[in-house]
Amino acid sequence: MATVLALSGVTKHYGTIAALRGVDLQVVGGELLTLLGPSGSGKTTLLKIIAGFETAEGGVVSLAGRDITTLAPNKRDIGMVFQNYALFPHMSVAANIAFPLTIRRVAQREVAERLDEVLQLVGLAGYGERLPKQLSGGQQQRVALARAVVFKPRLLLLDEPFGALDRKLREQMQLEVRRLQQRLRITTIFVTHDQEEALVLSDRIAVMNDGAVEQLGDPRAIYASPANRFVADFIGESNLLHARTIETGSAAVLDSGATVELQQRQAAGIDIGLLIRPEAINLTTPTAIAEGLPGMVDEVVYLGSTLKYFVRLDSGSILIVRRSFGREPVFSKGDRLVASWSPADVHLVQW
């Protein structure tokens, strides 16, 4: 697929604080790329620079091969949806959606056709004459989305659009946006700090931290193979244990002194982090033949379909373990147990 958006060496400072540190990024046609990171990571600043609401101090922003770095926002052919919807309260749903077409002086006949089409797309047929205050939060979000796509922009930007919605409606809107984006094949950049939301929506995820992209890849790869400790800790729940490789090359010693197997051979004497996801850890009752790390259940959290265990190893480390509810054995707070995992489920990260 052809590159629609290209960022090269984009930098931005607020006083002495570096908000963006030479960001390079390419977004291909029809994909949904999520900028994911904690508050202050630079994701919203980057989105504003793409939209034209902030000016980059250095670097180039190109859209469909055209340098738009200094172009005014209304000249960029970009649609945007904000967290607060930014609807005109005195204008009807139809007038709000048609606004981008009106300022572009699109013929009335075409305006009517596009309005009908986009109202059907977002499930608001028959709502054209209502005012925003007469709509629910989810319906207002659909109006904002319709307004952003009605003029068929080259790029759609979504700035934490579901932040004001309750969890159930948020999950519903995630799926609706994904279906709409795929149906229109519109190139989209989505900003969120919610890891689960990013995993659900994205073709690719750019994990940001301290003004830089720490890792770029598809959701499955980022979850299974994080590039470093920050990504491992930020994406999903994780257990990260410090270890030092030993001479055999295929094993490492934990801080507790326990030896664990590694699937890949490593040079001896290297400090590494062992990443094990909560669902990859097995828990068994202690027996003479049970192999693994001994410990005790500190806490059990019931989550409906799963149980989350907080296991305090005898070494003092805490493991988070998720098991399907009803899967044997079921442990209670204070129970002794042994935790183990397959070497294939250990991902090595730089310590």
Side-chain angles (χ1 to χ4, degrees), residues 249-309:
S250 58
V253 177
L254 299 175
D255 291 344
S256 64
T259 300
V260 294
E261 290 184 60
L262 304 177
Q263 189 176 42
Q264 298 175 326
R265 293 186 63 83
Q266 306 290 319
I270 297 175
D271 288 308
I272 56 173
L274 308 183
L275 170 70
I276 310 104
R277 293 295 185 184
E279 63 273 15
I281 297 176
N282 298 311
L283 300 178
T284 56
T285 53
T287 65
I289 60 172
E291 295 184 357
L293 304 178
M296 183 181 72
V297 178
D298 248 11
E299 200 66 56
V300 183
V301 180
Y302 173 67
L303 297 172
S305 60
T306 61
L307 289 172
K308 182 193 286 191
Y309 294 100

Side-chain angles (χ1 to χ4, degrees), residues 126-190:
Y127 286 74
E129 299 308 312
R130 298 193 186 186
L131 293 173
K133 67 181 180 181
Q134 297 173 306
L135 304 178
S136 67
Q139 289 170 335
Q140 290 182 40
Q141 188 59 268
R142 291 187 182 98
V143 174
L145 186 60
R147 184 178 60 184
V149 301
V150 70
F151 64 100
K152 300 180 180 179
R154 287 186 180 273
L155 182 66
L156 175 64
L157 306 180
L158 303 170
D159 186 13
E160 305 213 37
F162 311 134
L165 304 179
D166 63 61
R167 182 176 179 84
K168 186 174 182 179
L169 184 55
R170 185 185 184 110
E171 291 175 350
Q172 179 185 339
M173 286 302 299
Q174 289 170 3
L175 296 177
E176 288 188 18
V177 164
R178 185 58 168 148
R179 283 195 292 265
L180 179 63
Q181 185 268 335
Q182 290 179 324
R183 180 171 177 178
L184 297 176
R185 297 305 301 163
I186 185 169
T187 309
T188 302
I189 297 179
F190 187 97

